[in-house]
Every structure is written in C-alpha cells, then in structure tokens.
C-alpha cells in the first residue's frame, strides 16, 4: 500500500505539466488538452461530441473551448466530409506551431530521456492501470486507432488497406496511428 501511495503522489506531482490554474501561453489546461487531442485525432474524432467525450465534459463546454481555440486562430470549423450536417474541428498551421510551446513538452522530454526499456515498461504499466479504470468506470478512453477492435487490415505492401468496422469507412494508413474517441480495445 505504501508503494501505491508513493506512485500516486508522483503521478499527481507530474500532473503539474498539464493541469494548472489560470493559463499558460494564453490557454487554460482544458484548452491545451483540446488542442492536443484535435492535433492527434483521426477524422472520425474531430467533432464537438468526440472532443466533449475526451475532455469528460458537456458538448456545450467543448464548443466553448473550441470557440476560444478558433478565436486565437489555432483551430477552424469545417463542414465534415463524412456528414454534411456536422462539422469537423481542424487544427490550423498556427495551432501546430503553437503546440511546440505546449507546457507538457517538458514532461515528454523527461520521458524521452529514459532508456527505451524503462519507457516501454512505464507505458505498458500505465496502459494496464488506465484500462482497469475504464472498466471500473464503464467508459472508454480515446486511444490509437491501430489498437482498436474495429480496425480491419487487409492486403500487403501497396495493396494494404484499413477499414473501420464501426464507421464502415476506409482509413488511411497514417490515420491508424491517430487517436479515436470511439476506440475499443481488442479482447
């Protein structure tokens, strides 16, 4: 139990890089989280609903956060290519450049400094903990499309194709490395 409490204390201390009062570089912690998510989200997850799910908030609050990002020129709303009734939230070039100043980058740099086996072990352990929390809360977190049970891969080489069974749409190979708010782990 003592070790678990120490681990919790360390996790809370490390959260200073992404959870903070006020704003850093002109954005609140939630606005930074939204910008990070939208920069890494696949085309199915760049919606106000998916953003709200990722942030654990209402669609109205997510729309307000998107409006702030849009007012700063970091994001734009575009008609969805998938469904003309909905919109896609897209990061601008300015938003991409702004992410270079992301406060979480200091934590990322410390993780990069770890030896590869230590990074891999930390990732795998945290993934198991988060998966357990998801089961306990009966919810799903966004995760990388390539690990999802809905992804179907066929062919090889130039004939390699990916498809999402949930959306019944083809997926570009680069999108399989992006976050999906509809992710479900393979059983």
């Amino acid at each position: 139990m003592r070790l678990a409490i120490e681990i919790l204390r360390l996790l809370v201390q490390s959260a200073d890089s992404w959870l903070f009062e006020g704003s850093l570089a002109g954005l609140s912690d939630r606005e930074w989280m939204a910008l990070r998510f939208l920069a890494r989200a696949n085309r199915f997850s760049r919606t106000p609903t998916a953003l709200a799910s990722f942030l654990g908030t209402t669609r109205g609050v997510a729309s307000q956060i998107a409006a702030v990002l849009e007012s700063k020129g970091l994001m734009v709303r575009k008609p969805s290519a998938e469904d003309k009734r909905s919109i896609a939230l897209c990061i601008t070039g300015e938003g991409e450049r702004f992410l270079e100043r992301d406060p979480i980058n200091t934590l990322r740099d410390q993780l990069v400094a770890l030896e590869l086996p230590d990074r891999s072990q930390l990732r795998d352990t945290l993934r198991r903990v988060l998966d357990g929390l998801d089961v306990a809360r009966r919810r799903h977190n966004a995760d990388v499309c390539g690990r999802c049970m809905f992804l179907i891969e066929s062919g090889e080489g130039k004939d390699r194709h990916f498809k999402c069974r949930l959306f019944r749409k083809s997926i570009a190979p680069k999108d399989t490395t992006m976050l999906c708010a509809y992710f479900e782990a393979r059983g």
Side-chain angles (χ1 to χ4, degrees):
M1 183 65 94
R2 181 180 285 166
L3 182 58
I5 291 170
E6 183 179 355
I7 292 167
L8 284 172
R9 183 181 55 75
L10 293 170
L11 286 170
V12 168
Q13 283 178 310
S14 72
D16 281 355
S17 17
W18 70 89
L19 294 175
F20 49 85
E21 294 292 323
S23 68
L24 289 176
L27 295 181
S28 71
D29 58 353
R30 279 231 164 139
E31 291 159 356
W32 276 110
M33 288 173 67
L35 188 63
R36 284 181 209 117
F37 173 73
L38 293 172
R40 295 202 50 229
N42 68 17
R43 72 179 198 255
F44 305 118
S45 300
R46 289 186 215 121
T47 66
T49 301
L51 179 61
S53 175
F54 178 79
L55 294 174
T57 190
T58 65
R59 193 168 184 264
V61 170
S63 290
Q64 290 172 351
I65 290 169
V68 168
L69 296 176
E70 190 171 29
S71 74
K72 295 179 182 284
L74 306 175
M75 184 214 81
V76 293
R77 298 170 198 252
K78 295 181 179 177
S80 171
E82 305 296 323
D83 179 357
K84 299 299 181 199
R85 297 169 294 168
S86 63
I87 60 166
L89 306 176
C90 303
I91 296 296
T92 63
E94 180 63 26
E96 300 263 346
R97 287 185 293 282
F98 198 78
L99 280 166
E100 293 171 10
R101 296 181 281 166
D102 188 341
I104 207 169
N105 291 349
T106 55
L107 178 59
R108 178 206 59 206
D109 295 343
Q110 292 302 309
L111 294 170
V112 167
L114 295 173
E115 296 292 326
L116 182 58
D118 292 337
R119 274 186 302 200
S120 296
Q121 184 176 3
L122 180 59
R123 178 206 56 214
D124 295 345
T125 301
L126 286 173
R127 187 173 302 283
R128 284 194 307 273
V129 168
L130 291 173
D131 287 347
L133 289 172
D134 287 348
V135 168
R137 291 180 179 171
R138 296 178 183 216
R139 69 177 203 164
H140 303 286
N141 274 319
D143 208 330
V144 177
C145 177
R147 297 184 58 242
C148 183
M149 68 181 279
F150 297 121
L151 184 68
I152 301 171
E153 181 180 347
S154 61
E156 294 180 21
K158 289 182 179 182
D159 294 328
R160 190 172 177 202
H161 298 283
F162 298 94
K163 185 173 182 174
C164 176
R165 289 185 304 179
L166 180 65
F167 289 99
R168 297 183 178 141
K169 302 274 183 182
S170 293
I171 300 176
K174 70 178 178 86
D175 285 343
T176 65
T177 64
M178 300 183 96
L179 293 177
C180 183
Y182 305 96
F183 173 87
E184 287 199 34
R186 293 183 177 139

